[in-house]
Amino acid sequence: GIDAVETYYSKYDVIEEIKFFGGEPLCAPETIRAVAQHVTEKYNRGEIKELPVFRIITNGTIMDEAIMKMIKGYQIKVIFSIDGPQELHDAMRVDGKEQGTYTRILENFKKLRVYTEGKQPQGIDVTYTALQKNDGYSIQKLTAHLAETFETKPGKINVSLVTVAPDS
C-alpha cells in the first residue's frame, strides 16, 4: 500500500482521495493503518500540500474497537454496502458459514455511529439487481427502507444498477 502511494506521489503533487475497497478491506486493517499513518506523516512533515480523504467501502461484517479507533483517528470516511431489507440482503450476501450478514452489519453500523458520535458511517452503497425489483422493491422504496432502518438521509445512499440478461 505504501509503495502504491509513493508511486502516485512521484507522479502527482496532490492525491485527493485514497479509497480502500474490493473484497473486504477491513480484513487487512494493518495495511489501511500503515497507509493512513504514512500519508499523514508526509503531510505533517510538509512533504505533501494536502492530506487526502481516506475512504473505506466495507461490507460491514468486521468492526472491532481497534478498527473504530483507526477510523476515528484518521478521519476515514466509511461507506457500508447493504443490498436491502434483511431477506433480500441475506439472499445475496452470506459469510463463510453461509449465514446472512444483515444483522451483523446493522449492529456494526450502529456501533460505529455511536463510537464516532454520529460522524460515521458516511453512507450506504446499494447494488440494485433484478432480485430487488422482482421482490417489489423499486429504487425509491429500497432507499426509503434503508434510510429509515439505518437512520441515514436518502441522499447518503448510492445505488448501483446491475443489469442481467432476460434469460439469466
Side-chain angles (χ1 to χ4, degrees):
I2 291 171
D3 288 345
V5 166
E6 284 304 314
T7 297
Y8 280 97
Y9 275 121
S10 73
K11 298 177 188 304
Y12 305 102
D13 292 332
V14 174
I15 297 173
E16 293 180 5
E17 178 177 273
I18 296 175
K19 186 183 297 183
F20 304 95
F21 70 99
E24 175 47 49
L26 291 177
C27 284
E30 62 284 349
T31 301
I32 297 167
R33 187 176 293 104
V35 168
Q37 180 179 348
H38 177 77
V39 172
T40 300
E41 288 172 356
K42 283 178 77 71
Y43 176 75
N44 290 340
R45 290 190 302 265
E47 295 173 17
I48 56 175
K49 297 175 191 175
E50 295 178 25
L51 187 61
V53 171
F54 300 113
R55 188 175 314 277
I56 296 172
I57 300 178
T58 176
N59 65 24
T61 59
I62 302 169
M63 192 61 59
D64 60 25
E65 185 153 353
I67 288 172
M68 291 188 298
K69 184 176 179 181
M70 173 184 69
I71 288 167
K72 192 172 183 179
Y74 290 107
Q75 299 177 20
I76 299 171
K77 312 284 189 232
V78 181
I79 306 294
F80 272 56
S81 294
I82 306 162
D83 291 332
Q86 184 168 2
E87 65 278 2
L88 289 173
H89 179 90
D90 285 350
M92 295 185 284
R93 297 192 186 233
V94 295
D95 61 18
K97 297 177 183 174
E98 298 298 315
Q99 300 296 309
T101 59
Y102 184 90
T103 301
R104 187 173 352 142
I105 291 168
L106 180 58
E107 290 169 3
N108 286 340
F109 192 98
K110 290 178 179 180
K111 184 167 51 170
L112 182 60
R113 177 143 307 147
V114 168
Y115 189 87
T116 61
E117 299 162 351
K119 294 181 177 130
Q120 298 297 333
Q122 292 274 304
I124 295 172
D125 270 0
V126 179
T127 302
Y128 187 79
T129 67
L131 183 63
Q132 288 100 326
K133 183 180 179 195
N134 294 341
D135 210 46
Y137 278 89
S138 66
I139 291 173
Q140 293 82 2
K141 182 177 176 183
L142 184 61
T143 55
H145 170 82
L146 292 171
E148 181 180 335
T149 303
F150 288 86
E151 299 175 2
T152 300
K153 294 178 183 172
K156 296 287 186 174
I157 300 173
N158 180 57
V159 179
S160 297
L161 302 175
V162 175
T163 56
V164 178
D167 57 348
S168 296

